[in-house]
Amino acid sequence: MNIKNTLFSLCSASSASGDEIFTAPLSMKLLSEFMPAHIDAMGNVVGENDGEGEGILLDAHLDTIGMVVTGIEDDGFLHVDKCGGVDLRTLPAHDVAIHGKETVYGVVTSTPPHLSKDPKEASGFDMLMVDTGLTSGKAKEIISLGDRVTFATAYRELLEGNLSGAYFDDKAGVVAILRCLEILKENNCKKKVSVLFSAQEETGSSGAIAAGFNSDATECICVDVSFAKSKGTPESVTASLGGGTMIGIAPALNYGMANSLKSIATQEKIPFQLEVMGGKTGTNSDYIAVSKGGKRTALLSIPLKNMHTPVEVVNVNDIESTAQLMARYIMNKGGVRA
């Protein structure tokens, strides 16, 4: 698998939370190379093989942040609101795509600094508008209230294995799981594995809550992104980009699984870092761990710079180390302290 090409392909398919219909079929097609897969009533992509032993569930969320059209002005300008945790500071003067009856491109309006009373202050969503260049009549023919709006971002390969673009949160996790499945297939692993590419994580983890309840797996590894070190970020809650996957340690996670992952990573010389949290993790793992009768749950996170912006940055080696550690854990499954 070419990690970069697969990631860019997935990220190019719109999947703003609650409207994953563009990326779900592509994800299902990729997952179907390893196991039977389908799209459930929540919009999740779900798959399971016919393997042996206690099942393990691998989860990464398919949806992304975005915006939603809330109004169309008489001059054709669009009102929008956030869909998930969009950072308002990054929006003015940025290219966007509106996913209506056809895709329409526009720009978020921005007051020139020469005319702004306070150039340091970001406008509220009530002041933010999208300019498509369309007349009101034409805009209303193509665009409806509720249509999703996403970043129209170029994807670039940077130096030292770094990649830049939008929506690596959490398409990088999806790619890590696909790569894990490829490694298991290459090693002829017969263990029972199920996969959840979950919908609606950015707006409350609804997809993971429903699919986690339906899953009979006794263990789960969730894959998400977390904060990478950058200028101005606190040292204590960030990890090094390119330094390896982040193994989560938190009250909401199974400590035995975390210790097993650390032991395997050390033994197999897979680069890893620790992410210690004092409570919940803010990921699907918080919900899957307590679904149905409960599941032993671990969290692996891929370091990411500039989270929830149009210029997120990840490193391909961190995606690979995440995949390798998941695969080695599954192949060595057993002996976990509850």
Side-chain angles (χ1 to χ4, degrees):
M1 172 185 295
N2 185 303
I3 287 176
K4 180 196 76 172
N5 291 346
T6 305
L7 180 60
F8 286 0
S9 176
L10 281 170
C11 290
S12 297
S14 169
S15 55
S17 194
D19 190 40
E20 298 89 354
I21 59 173
F22 295 100
T23 195
L26 173 58
S27 303
M28 183 180 70
K29 180 181 178 181
L30 293 170
L31 181 57
S32 295
E33 296 179 15
F34 304 102
M35 60 183 62
H38 67 278
I39 300 172
D40 70 9
M42 293 292 296
N44 301 308
V45 175
V46 180
E48 185 173 271
N49 67 12
D50 294 321
E52 304 164 351
E54 288 188 342
I56 184 167
L57 173 65
L58 307 179
D59 165 77
H61 70 86
L62 195 62
D63 68 311
T64 65
I65 61 167
M67 291 171 282
V68 59
V69 177
T70 58
I72 304 175
E73 291 278 296
D74 290 340
D75 55 7
F77 282 70
L78 308 179
H79 289 280
V80 295
D81 201 353
K82 62 182 179 180
C83 181
V86 175
D87 187 343
L88 181 62
R89 299 169 300 171
T90 68
L91 295 181
H94 196 81
D95 299 328
V96 294
I98 303 95
H99 304 282
K101 295 182 178 65
E102 59 188 71
T103 298
V104 175
Y105 293 95
V107 292
V108 180
T109 56
S110 175
T111 303
H114 320 68
L115 305 178
S116 176
K117 294 179 181 179
D118 185 358
K120 296 181 180 179
E121 183 178 341
S123 299
F125 268 96
D126 57 334
M127 299 296 292
L128 212 63
M129 303 194 78
V130 174
D131 182 5
T132 64
L134 298 175
T135 63
S136 174
K138 187 63 176 178
K140 290 177 180 178
E141 285 180 16
I142 302 172
I143 301 166
S144 302
L145 302 186
D147 286 344
R148 298 305 198 274
V149 181
T150 58
F151 301 134
T153 301
Y155 292 92
R156 294 184 174 89
E157 184 172 7
L158 307 179
L159 299 176
E160 305 297 333
N162 294 324
L163 306 174
S164 172
Y167 304 129
F168 295 160
D169 176 9
D170 184 32
K171 301 295 181 64
V174 172
V175 174
I177 289 176
L178 291 170
R179 172 63 181 138
C180 168
L181 297 175
E182 183 178 62
I183 296 167
L184 294 176
K185 184 176 180 180
E186 291 169 352
N187 286 272
N188 198 31
C189 178
K190 300 297 185 182
K191 298 293 178 70
K192 185 174 183 180
V193 177
S194 54
V195 170
L196 168 61
F197 295 149
S198 48
Q200 301 177 44
E201 189 270 353
E202 297 289 0
T203 51
S205 292
S206 303
I209 292 169
F213 183 85
N214 289 336
S215 172
D216 292 327
T218 57
E219 288 186 356
C220 175
I221 297 177
C222 289
V223 185
D224 211 318
V225 297
S226 193
F227 306 110
K229 287 182 174 65
S230 186
K231 292 294 183 182
T233 58
E235 187 84 11
S236 61
V237 295
T238 55
S240 298
L241 199 70
T245 190
M246 301 164 70
I247 299 174
I249 298 175
L253 302 171
N254 185 274
Y255 196 41
M257 288 184 71
N259 283 334
S260 291
L261 287 164
K262 286 192 293 180
S263 176
I264 292 168
T266 301
Q267 181 179 346
E268 299 289 341
K269 295 181 171 55
I270 299 170
F272 73 94
Q273 306 170 83
L274 296 182
E275 182 179 26
V276 181
M277 297 155 279
K280 292 186 177 181
T281 69
T283 71
N284 280 340
S285 63
D286 297 333
Y287 301 95
I288 293 176
V290 296
S291 63
K292 213 169 193 174
K295 293 175 176 58
R296 296 187 297 272
T297 301
L299 174 65
L300 296 177
S301 296
I302 298 164
L304 176 142
K305 287 183 179 180
N306 312 324
M307 189 180 296
H308 284 196
T309 76
V311 286
E312 294 177 333
V313 178
V314 294
N315 188 285
V316 292
N317 296 319
D318 294 330
I319 297 175
E320 177 68 21
S321 69
T322 303
Q324 290 285 349
L325 184 52
M326 272 191 293
R328 298 301 163 188
Y329 179 85
I330 293 168
M331 287 188 281
N332 290 281
K333 197 169 179 303
V336 176
R337 177 172 61 83

